């Protein structure tokens, strides 16, 4: 049976073979944790961005967009806390010389214990069927309770150590848990060190310390420093949001999981400005809204779960992740953070400018509180690809690999094919293509047998294929083939546009 790791490998090689994702600078043996999106990947990525933008900006009267620069005044990062505190605890294994994030090693250890609990529960369900009382079992079974206590202890020791910035205690925790390096198998660890994740470079011609600037590690700060510009020029009333899609850069310590963890990646972030004291209400609201957005992609609910942060970031008073069951297991897809007034207050202090809002409803000025939703575009891409990737056995003992992408996100919406390359069929097919190409990204394909062509389209997730055959010349009808059912339906050429419009309508998903 194929394991989840095999599944990731298959997705990576499929992504390369069909032009979705390439290793950056591959001809020079690649650059670690940097990737390029190919002809199909660029389309899919663009469609995901568009769907997020529509859902967040166009669907909300009180949310507007922004496109701020990657470079920002260096004081921004001093104010935001990134210069002093944007770091991960790292640890090296002395035998394999491999570097790990200490927090990830501990989290993964706890996750293994949690999986033992799930295994016990699954056994119970299998044995007792409908008579099984899962809640009761989780609350009373000695094995489950023992394992849950272990997890709670780990989390509590981890939190205490991180809160106190006690890196020695983190190392002791790793040793006490008997965590071994997956490469060398040894428990021979270095001390834990903090490692700042920001990339720096120099601006201007003179290389002086004062000219050091950073590549932004998150898009959020571009929103904060523009908050008043947008509020005033857009006459925005609280509560309101500013949304942005853009590149972010982090010098990640561990970069081994394809586009899950990259050094250059894209974020889709929205900062929602609210009246102080109302942030928890909005935090709950956005948690619900965002998980709904993910589920509207048609991926089974079981792939998603919430994970509350154990150690809150320096700016947050509540935070959770929406996790996705990636081929590597449940991992963060999106973060939802109640950032308080931390960022705006810090910018006020460092810039000497007031960033207050006068609230006419309560006749008071204040620095707004902020609830942030921050989702990785590349991680969303990987989540969608991994849920869509399907190896299917067909009735006639053949197989096909099909990307069951949500139709409205598919890179190519419709492929137009003449059955043969003669008898005027290509001309007829091109006629159809020339009407559809204004609304949809189409693919014209006349090479190889129809079967092979269908397989190629399946592999890139094209939801519909239109075949022009000899009957088309007689009665202006074609067949439309559905990617998932593989069924073909004969329809009039004049109906194609209406059919596609109905099937690919983004409105249905948005509403
Ligand atoms: P992690 O714990 O996995 O490092 P994070 O908590 O540091 O992630 P955030 O700072 O909350 O991540 O960033 C918001 C979102 O940006 C994440 O949910 C993720 O989808 C995306 N993201 C963060 N770092 C990366 C990365 N290195 N590569 C790709 N996407 C990333």
């Amino acid at each position: 049976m194929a394991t989840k790791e095999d599944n990731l490998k298959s997705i990576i090689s499929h992504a390369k073979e069909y032009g979705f994702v390439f290793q950056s600078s591959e001809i020079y043996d690649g650059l670690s944790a940097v990737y390029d999106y190919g002809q199909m990947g660029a389309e899919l990525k663009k469609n995901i961005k568009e769907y997020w933008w529509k859902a967040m900006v166009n669907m909300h009267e009180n949310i507007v967009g922004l496109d701020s620069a990657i470079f920002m005044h260096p004081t921004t990062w001093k104010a935001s806390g990134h210069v002093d505190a944007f770091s991960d605890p790292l640890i090296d294994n002395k035998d394999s010389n491999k570097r790990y994030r200490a927090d990830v090693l501990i989290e993964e250890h706890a996750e293994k214990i949690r999986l033992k609990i799930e295994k016990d529960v699954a056994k119970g369900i299998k044995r007792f069927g409908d008579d099984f009382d899962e809640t009761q079992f989780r609350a009373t079974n000695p094995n489950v309770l023992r394992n849950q206590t272990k997890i709670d202890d780990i989390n509590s020791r981890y939190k205490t150590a991180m809160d106190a910035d006690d890196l020695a205690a983190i190392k002791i925790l790793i040793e006490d848990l008997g965590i071994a390096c997956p490469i060398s198998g040894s428990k021979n660890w270095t001390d834990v060190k903090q490692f700042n994740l920001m990339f720096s470079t120099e601006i201007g011609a003179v290389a002086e310390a004062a000219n050091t600037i950073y590549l932004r590690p998150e898009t959020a700060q571009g929103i904060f420093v523009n908050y008043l510009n947008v509020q005033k020029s857009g006459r925005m009333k609280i509560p309101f949001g500013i949304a942005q899609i853009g590149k972010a850069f982090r010098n990640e310590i561990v970069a081994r999981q394809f586009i899950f963890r990259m050094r250059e990646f894209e974020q889709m972030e929205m900062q929602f400005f609210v009246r102080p004291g109302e942030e928890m209400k909005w935090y709950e609201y956005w948690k619900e809204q965002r998980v709904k957005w993910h589920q509207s992609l048609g991926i089974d609910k079981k792939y998603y779960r919430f994970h509350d942060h154990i150690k809150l970031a320096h700016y947050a008073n509540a935070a959770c992740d929406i996790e996705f069951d990636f081929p590597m297991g449940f991992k963060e897809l999106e973060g939802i953070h109640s950032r308080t007034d931390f960022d705006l207050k810090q910018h006020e202090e460092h810039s000497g400018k007031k960033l207050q809002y006068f609230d006419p409803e309560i006749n008071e000025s204040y620095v707004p509180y902020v609830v942030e939703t921050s989702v990785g575009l590349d991680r969303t891409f990987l989540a969608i690809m991994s849920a869509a990737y399907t190896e299917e056995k067909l009735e006639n003992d053949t197989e096909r690999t099909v990307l069951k992408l949500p139709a409205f996100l598919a890179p190519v919406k419709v492929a137009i094919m003449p059955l043969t390359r003669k008898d005027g069929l290509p001309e007829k097919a091109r006629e159809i293509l020339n009407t559809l190409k204004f609304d949809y990204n189409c693919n014209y394909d006349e090479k190889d047998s129809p079967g092979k062509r269908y397989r190629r389209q399946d592999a890139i997730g094209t939801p519909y294929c239109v075949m022009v055959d000899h009957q088309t010349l007689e009665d202006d009808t074609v067949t439309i083939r559905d990617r998932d059912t593989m069924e073909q339906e004969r329809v009039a050429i004049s109906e194609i546009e209406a059919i596609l419009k109905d099937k690919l309508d983004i409105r249905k998903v948005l509403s």
Side-chain angles (χ1 to χ4, degrees), residues 138-155:
R138 283 183 191 270
T140 55
N141 178 274
N143 269 347
V144 171
L145 292 179
R146 199 174 332 107
N147 282 325
Q148 192 54 51
T149 309
K150 277 190 199 164
I151 297 175
D152 295 343
D153 282 349
I154 294 170
N155 287 345

Side-chain angles (χ1 to χ4, degrees), residues 49-58 65-66 243-245:
K49 280 199 244 189
E50 190 188 332
Y51 179 51
W52 183 86
W53 191 269
K54 281 208 153 102
M56 298 300 279
V57 180
N58 304 15
L66 179 77
Q244 161 153 258
I245 300 177

Side-chain angles (χ1 to χ4, degrees), residues 101 250 252 260-262 265 267 332-333 374 376 379:
R101 263 174 64 176
R250 295 182 189 178
E252 295 283 359
F260 177 81
R261 192 173 296 290
M262 301 155 93
F265 57 99
Q267 290 184 314
E332 171 173 349
L333 171 63
S374 174
R379 285 189 193 177

Side-chain angles (χ1 to χ4, degrees), residues 38-211:
Q39 65 280 20
M40 291 302 146
E43 288 287 341
L44 176 55
K45 211 175 156 195
K46 177 178 71 74
N47 295 341
I48 298 171
K49 280 199 244 189
E50 190 188 332
Y51 179 51
W52 183 86
W53 191 269
K54 281 208 153 102
M56 298 300 279
V57 180
N58 304 15
M59 292 291 115
H60 292 97
E61 265 175 53
N62 58 346
I63 299 183
V64 291
L66 179 77
D67 185 4
S68 72
I70 287 170
F71 288 143
M72 299 182 71
H73 192 286
T75 310
T76 310
W77 305 109
K78 190 74 196 150
S80 68
H82 283 80
V83 172
D84 297 321
F86 191 58
S87 48
D88 281 337
L90 71 83
I91 189 165
D92 292 308
N93 183 268
K94 290 183 193 163
D95 298 312
S96 65
N97 287 324
K98 283 278 173 208
R99 181 158 278 188
Y100 298 91
R101 263 174 64 176
D103 56 329
V104 171
L105 285 179
I106 294 166
E107 260 171 32
E108 286 180 352
H109 185 85
E111 177 67 7
K112 274 189 201 148
I113 303 175
R114 195 192 64 81
L115 287 176
K116 280 188 194 160
I117 297 180
E118 295 311 317
K119 221 170 166 182
D120 284 339
V121 171
K123 264 193 216 156
I125 294 173
K126 198 168 168 202
R127 213 164 130 204
F128 299 108
D130 287 345
D131 296 335
F132 185 65
D133 183 342
E134 189 179 324
T135 320
Q136 166 90 358
F137 182 79
R138 283 183 191 270
T140 55
N141 178 274
N143 269 347
V144 171
L145 292 179
R146 199 174 332 107
N147 282 325
Q148 192 54 51
T149 309
K150 277 190 199 164
I151 297 175
D152 295 343
D153 282 349
I154 294 170
N155 287 345
S156 130
R157 281 181 68 182
Y158 172 67
K159 183 174 181 325
T160 312
M162 289 302 275
D163 283 347
D165 214 3
D166 185 352
L167 298 179
I170 297 278
K171 182 179 180 187
I172 294 170
L173 178 56
I174 289 176
E175 286 170 343
D176 287 353
L177 295 175
I179 296 176
C181 165
I183 311 279
S184 65
S186 97
K187 297 172 188 166
N188 192 8
W189 298 107
T190 61
D191 287 342
V192 178
K193 280 185 286 206
Q194 287 288 9
F195 176 79
N196 194 296
L197 300 178
M198 280 200 295
F199 283 102
S200 63
T201 184
E202 267 115 42
I203 197 161
V206 194
E208 288 165 15
N211 293 332

Side-chain angles (χ1 to χ4, degrees), residues 323-342:
E323 293 190 334
F324 184 81
D325 195 2
F326 287 101
M328 319 73 88
F330 272 102
K331 301 242 178 239
E332 171 173 349
L333 171 63
E334 169 155 4
I336 301 174
H337 311 126
S338 171
R339 290 180 81 128
T340 66
D341 55 359
F342 175 85

